[in-house]
Amino acid sequence: MKIAIIFTCYNRADKTENCVKSLLNQELDKHIKLEFYICDDGSTDNTVKTVRKLIPSAKIINGSGNLFWCKGMYLAMRKAYDNKHDFYLMINDDVKFSPNAIQIMINSYIKSNDICGIV
């Protein structure tokens, strides 16, 4: 199962790092793979370098500095969608996830027995 983690960022290296670390430390079933799609809208505070160090496989879209949240999320989502995933998780990079957050969402989806969105 592939889950696309999608977010946009700009000059919040510390917050972005904390968020990514909380995602990398998820307690997930072994068959669940996280793939990161990040739009960096021209950060000057080493955000991209920090992300690359934590997740070298991250797909990073470099913005012009004029994308802001909405257009940055659109570009990252489009890139993730092109690579076909089972789930798409759109996040803000200032969130710290509990260690079982994603597994709880997956379990909720499975229990729903229907097409649904988990928020």
Side-chain angles (χ1 to χ4, degrees):
M1 175 182 306
K2 292 189 335 181
I3 301 173
I5 307 292
I6 302 159
F7 66 91
T8 190
C9 58
Y10 176 75
N11 281 348
R12 300 195 321 177
D14 291 339
K15 288 182 180 189
T16 303
E17 180 178 12
N18 289 333
C19 177
V20 168
K21 283 181 177 178
S22 74
L23 288 164
L24 293 175
N25 291 319
Q26 288 294 296
E27 298 167 2
L28 297 170
D29 290 344
K30 291 181 183 183
H31 69 281
I32 298 173
K33 181 180 177 188
L34 304 180
E35 295 183 358
F36 289 80
Y37 296 84
I38 302 158
C39 181
D40 180 83
D41 198 21
S43 293
T44 57
D45 70 344
N46 291 319
T47 298
V48 172
K49 184 178 178 181
T50 300
V51 168
R52 282 267 180 238
K53 185 177 178 181
L54 292 170
I55 38 176
S57 63
K59 284 80 171 172
I60 298 179
I61 298 100
N62 294 306
S64 61
N66 294 311
L67 297 176
F68 303 100
W69 186 84
C70 186
K71 188 67 173 180
M73 290 298 283
Y74 167 77
L75 292 175
M77 183 67 177
R78 187 172 72 186
K79 181 85 168 177
Y81 189 73
D82 288 344
N83 289 304
K84 305 294 181 205
H85 293 78
D86 298 298
F87 296 97
Y88 300 87
L89 178 60
M90 298 173 70
I91 66 168
N92 286 329
D93 67 340
D94 60 352
V95 175
K96 184 178 177 186
F97 290 84
S98 64
N100 58 351
I102 293 177
Q103 191 64 57
I104 288 171
M105 287 188 271
I106 296 298
N107 293 344
S108 297
Y109 172 78
I110 291 167
K111 285 180 186 175
S112 76
N113 229 5
D114 201 356
I115 295 173
C116 67
I118 305 295
V119 180

